[in-house]
Amino acid sequence: MISNSAQFELMSEFRAKCKKHNLKMTPQRVTIYQELVKAKDHPGCEDIFERVHKKFPDISLDTVYRTLSTFADIGVINQVEGYGEAKRYDPNTGRHHHLRCLKCNSIVDFQDTTFNNLRIPKSVEKSFVVNNIKVILEGLCKECAKK
Amino acid sequence: MISNSAQFELMSEFRAKCKKHNLKMTPQRVTIYQELVKAKDHPGCEDIFERVHKKFPDISLDTVYRTLSTFADIGVINQVEGYGEAKRYDPNTGRHHHLRCLKCNSIVDFQDTTFNNLRIPKSVEKSFVVNNIKVILEGLCKECAKK
DNA sequence: TATTATATAAGAATTATTCTTAATTGCAAG
DNA sequence: CTTGCAATTAAGAATAATTCTTATATAATA
Ligand SMILES: [Mn+2]
Ligand SMILES: [Mn+2]
Ligand SMILES: [Zn+2]
Ligand SMILES: [Zn+2]
């Protein structure tokens, strides 16, 4: 769950960033953004299309692809790293990390202060400008580990 | 560069793992593996196809796709995480980390003992079986940072 | 050397994604 | 509140990456 005020805050940041990048506020964009914000599963374009489609039967798949890609470009959402299957997106642009199940492909968020505060190695700093550090833990989720 | 003995060592591990998984030693497999081992750029299937094709004009693209995928399955190589473009592979199965340039998509290896020894958070251990930890630094390589 | 399960080449098929185009619409200016 | 127009959209075609199908070839084993 997410509080109403946090919801509102998020929405006005969204509107502000869109305006900054000259993106018009269309019902498609609002709906797609809200649907992604609700999602906890780092969904792909088809997933979002299916969810949005219920409320908005005329939306096209292309619009979902285009819109999510645009949102990622302007930084209101993030694309998730993966292994070359369909692209997946993350509404959470704050600092956090991922658990990836290698069997069912679930991606779950987690927080860790150690991981948040990793130092960039000196040797790297000389040859590379680091924008962000990602830590990914790969393995098996509880359900998949049971089998 | 890689020493002759290390080369030989790698090759016999490769043969051993293939045997363990009942994979026949075909010239295609040997060539593809050797070409990937030479590569420092985490190449994709098309890249490897082009390189192999010079020495082995009759090889099919499908074989390269199938073979690299099989190699990753049995763990002689790794698939590299990415953002949904073409798959890329890594001959280095040892512990190391990656610098990813967001502009030119180059991927460069680096070593760091801190990153090698990250502890898995307690909270995670309860709900997830971790196979491996990946640290990825994203940003701009020297060339791309200049512009 | 004969047997057989695997692997391969070629091209068709599939999946994910992007492009093209004509029609629609958000929104700023009057 | 209208108008004007650049930005956006739906629809379907097109493309790119990858996988599948099948007939032929071949590595490994006896
Ligand atoms: Mn996340
Ligand atoms: Mn590497
Ligand atoms: Zn799982
Ligand atoms: Zn670069």
Side-chain angles (χ1 to χ4, degrees):
Chain A
M1 281 304 147
I2 181 166
S3 77
N4 259 17
S5 65
Q7 183 76 270
F8 185 82
E9 177 71 10
L10 210 55
M11 218 44 216
S12 58
E13 278 175 33
F14 169 68
R15 286 169 187 279
K17 277 198 189 166
C18 283
K19 177 161 284 180
K20 191 167 83 175
H21 290 270
N22 301 313
L23 300 186
K24 292 178 180 172
M25 287 308 305
T26 67
Q28 288 92 335
R29 280 179 177 155
V30 173
T31 312
I32 289 169
Y33 181 69
Q34 289 178 332
E35 201 63 45
L36 183 62
V37 166
K38 271 207 297 234
K40 300 281 171 268
D41 58 344
H42 305 83
C45 293
E46 292 269 4
D47 299 321
I48 290 291
F49 174 73
E50 283 165 23
R51 295 171 203 184
V52 167
H53 190 259
K54 288 171 188 163
K55 298 273 178 173
F56 205 135
D58 281 345
I59 201 164
S60 78
L61 181 54
D62 177 65
T63 294
V64 177
Y65 272 101
R66 190 170 13 82
T67 301
L68 288 171
S69 173
T70 304
F71 287 171
D73 287 345
I74 69 169
V76 278
I77 69 175
N78 285 134
Q79 194 190 327
V80 179
E81 352 63 46
Y83 285 106
E85 342 71 40
K87 287 172 184 166
R88 295 171 70 169
Y89 291 91
D90 194 338
N92 184 350
T93 56
R95 188 176 280 168
H96 71 286
H97 308 282
H98 286 155
L99 300 171
R100 304 185 54 105
C101 178
L102 296 168
K103 194 156 189 196
C104 70
N105 293 312
S106 65
I107 301 174
V108 175
D109 291 343
F110 75 96
Q111 288 294 342
D112 184 84
T113 33
T114 308
F115 292 173
N116 287 348
N117 296 314
L118 293 178
R119 291 280 99 220
I120 297 161
K122 279 276 182 307
S123 57
V124 167
E125 276 183 329
K126 278 179 274 185
S127 63
F128 202 84
V129 179
V130 177
N131 281 167
N132 56 68
I133 305 186
K134 285 200 168 137
V135 181
I136 303 163
L137 304 192
E138 293 184 338
L140 297 178
C141 72
K142 214 163 197 171
E143 286 74 46
C144 292
K146 267 189 249 175
K147 200 250 56 179
Chain B
M1 280 304 144
I2 182 167
S3 76
N4 258 19
S5 65
Q7 183 76 269
F8 186 82
E9 177 70 12
L10 209 54
M11 220 43 218
S12 58
E13 280 174 32
F14 168 70
R15 286 169 186 280
K17 279 199 188 168
C18 284
K19 175 160 285 180
K20 191 168 79 176
H21 291 269
N22 301 313
L23 299 187
K24 292 177 179 174
M25 286 308 306
T26 67
Q28 288 91 334
R29 282 178 177 156
V30 173
T31 312
I32 289 169
Y33 181 69
Q34 289 180 331
E35 200 65 44
L36 184 62
V37 166
K38 271 207 295 232
K40 300 281 173 265
D41 57 345
H42 305 83
C45 293
E46 293 270 4
D47 299 320
I48 291 291
F49 174 74
E50 282 164 26
R51 295 170 203 184
V52 167
H53 190 258
K54 288 169 187 164
K55 297 275 177 170
F56 204 134
D58 281 345
I59 201 164
S60 78
L61 181 54
D62 177 65
T63 294
V64 177
Y65 272 100
R66 189 169 15 81
T67 302
L68 289 172
S69 172
T70 304
F71 287 171
D73 287 344
I74 69 170
V76 277
I77 69 176
N78 285 133
Q79 196 191 325
V80 179
E81 353 63 44
Y83 286 105
E85 341 72 37
K87 287 173 184 164
R88 295 170 70 169
Y89 292 91
D90 194 338
N92 183 350
T93 57
R95 187 175 283 167
H96 71 287
H97 309 281
H98 286 156
L99 300 172
R100 304 185 53 104
C101 178
L102 296 169
K103 193 153 186 194
C104 71
N105 293 312
S106 65
I107 300 174
V108 175
D109 291 342
F110 75 95
Q111 288 294 343
D112 183 85
T113 33
T114 307
F115 293 174
N116 287 348
N117 296 314
L118 293 179
R119 290 281 99 220
I120 298 163
K122 280 276 183 305
S123 58
V124 167
E125 275 183 331
K126 280 179 273 184
S127 64
F128 202 85
V129 179
V130 177
N131 281 166
N132 56 68
I133 305 186
K134 288 205 164 135
V135 181
I136 303 162
L137 305 192
E138 294 183 338
L140 296 177
C141 73
K142 212 163 198 170
E143 286 75 44
C144 292
K146 264 190 251 176
K147 199 254 52 188

